[in-house]
């Protein structure tokens, strides 16, 4: 999956140019591990931003690890992640989840792809089978990828992954509108606008803590977002 809109000579970015961002909601079981992994992999150089609506110790733990914590009332996944994506002033932003499902050791690979000229780098959880993902979720994600690919006319293998890298200039240019379906929107709009969007396979581990997304209502919202975004982009 690669388009050729953005073709200026890329800068050689390092971890000093990187912000790792996430929305957090009652993730005290996992947030410390995730932040320790980010610190270890990036030698403590990456800026870390958590947009938090927790009622547990998540924000306290995040601050103890040196993260910037922006507290807000819980308003859903997209509201938190949108704020997290738009807050940092570093030129490369990587999103992740705070449940310890994503491999922080792959952060250098995402940065390498940006340095190679990519505008967006998306982690494909399904490539290796995502065996730790509940079967219903895995089937849903496969269907989202199929439906999104058909509607966009461009192949995408994992529409709703939470681990992606973006050039900051891209996320600042686009108006993001979705909430539960923001993860799909963050892939679809750049791809349909001709930016250089790439997918790389990543491993996916069993989550720590309980999931916050109802598979039925959440899945319906994501499906609606995929259709809505595809129609809006085709009508631009």
């Amino acid at each position: 999956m690669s388009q050729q809109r953005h073709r200026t000579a890329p800068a050689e970015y390092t971890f000093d140019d990187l912000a790792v961002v996430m929305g957090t909601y009652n993730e005290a079981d996992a947030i410390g591990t995730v932040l320790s992994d980010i610190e270890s992999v990036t030698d403590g150089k990456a800026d870390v931003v958590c947009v938090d609506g927790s009622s547990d110790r998540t924000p306290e733990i995040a601050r103890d690890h040196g993260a910037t914590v922006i507290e807000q009332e819980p308003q859903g996944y997209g509201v938190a992640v949108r704020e997290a994506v738009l807050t940092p002033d570093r030129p490369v932003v990587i999103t992740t989840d705070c449940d310890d499902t994503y491999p922080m050791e792959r952060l250098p690979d995402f940065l390498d792809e940006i340095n190679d000229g990519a505008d967006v780098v998306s982690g494909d959880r399904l490539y290796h089978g995502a065996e730790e993902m509940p079967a219903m979720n895995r089937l849903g994600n496969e269907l989202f990828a199929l439906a999104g690919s058909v509607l966009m006319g461009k192949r995408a293998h994992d529409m709703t992954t939470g681990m992606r890298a973006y050039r900051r200039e891209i996320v600042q240019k686009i108006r993001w509108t979705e909430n539960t379906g923001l993860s799909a929107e963050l892939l679809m709009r750049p791809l349909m606008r001709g930016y250089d969007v790439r997918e790389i396979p990543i491993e996916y581990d069993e989550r720590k803590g309980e999931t916050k997304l109802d598979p039925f209502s959440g899945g319906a919202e994501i499906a609606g977002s995929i259709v809505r975004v595809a129609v809006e982009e085709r009508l631009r």
Side-chain angles (χ1 to χ4, degrees), residues 97 101-102 123-127 129-142 144 158 160-162 202-207:
D97 288 351
T101 54
Y102 290 100
D124 178 4
R125 302 165 296 174
L126 305 179
Y127 183 90
E131 294 180 359
E132 298 295 342
M133 187 182 295
M136 183 179 297
N137 293 27
R138 188 165 60 248
L139 175 60
N141 283 315
E142 290 170 349
F144 293 149
D158 189 352
T160 58
T161 180
I202 60 171
E203 300 74 20
Y204 184 82
D205 292 329
E206 184 177 2
R207 67 168 289 127

Side-chain angles (χ1 to χ4, degrees), residues 82-219:
R82 186 184 303 114
E83 180 74 17
V85 166
L86 295 175
T87 293
D89 60 3
R90 296 198 180 186
V92 182
V93 178
I94 295 183
T95 60
T96 188
D97 288 351
C98 49
D99 55 11
D100 201 26
T101 54
Y102 290 100
M104 295 301 97
E105 65 271 16
R106 298 295 303 279
L107 290 173
D109 299 326
F110 282 77
L111 192 59
D112 285 347
E113 291 291 335
I114 294 291
N115 280 327
D116 188 54
D119 296 307
V120 179
V121 185
S122 188
D124 178 4
R125 302 165 296 174
L126 305 179
Y127 183 90
H128 295 299
E131 294 180 359
E132 298 295 342
M133 187 182 295
M136 183 179 297
N137 293 27
R138 188 165 60 248
L139 175 60
N141 283 315
E142 290 170 349
L143 293 174
F144 293 149
L146 178 60
S149 297
V150 171
L151 290 168
M152 293 188 296
K154 302 175 186 292
R155 186 70 173 103
H157 298 88
D158 189 352
M159 299 287 295
T160 58
T161 180
M163 190 172 186
R164 291 202 187 103
Y166 306 86
R167 292 180 184 271
R168 180 174 178 267
E169 63 200 71
I170 304 303
V171 296
Q172 294 286 337
K173 283 180 181 178
I174 297 174
R175 178 173 174 263
W176 309 104
T177 63
E178 298 302 309
N179 194 346
T180 304
L182 181 68
S183 56
E185 181 184 23
L186 284 164
L187 178 71
M188 293 176 69
R189 292 198 193 275
L191 181 56
M192 295 185 75
R193 296 184 190 193
Y195 289 104
D196 186 338
V197 179
R198 307 177 188 179
E199 289 185 297
I200 61 173
I202 60 171
E203 300 74 20
Y204 184 82
D205 292 329
E206 184 177 2
R207 67 168 289 127
K208 293 181 179 178
E210 296 181 3
T211 182
K212 314 301 189 300
L213 182 68
D214 179 88
F216 297 104
S217 62

Side-chain angles (χ1 to χ4, degrees), residues 15 18 34-46 103-109:
F15 290 133
L18 173 65
V34 174
L35 296 179
S36 292
D37 288 346
I38 294 169
E39 183 177 12
S40 175
V41 171
T42 69
D43 296 323
K45 296 177 180 179
M104 295 301 97
E105 65 271 16
R106 298 295 303 279
L107 290 173
D109 299 326

Side-chain angles (χ1 to χ4, degrees), residues 44-65:
K45 296 177 180 179
D47 184 24
V48 180
V49 176
C50 300
V51 176
D52 184 76
S54 300
S55 58
D56 66 1
R57 295 184 60 250
T58 298
E60 178 186 340
I61 296 169
R63 288 191 180 98
D64 287 345
H65 282 269

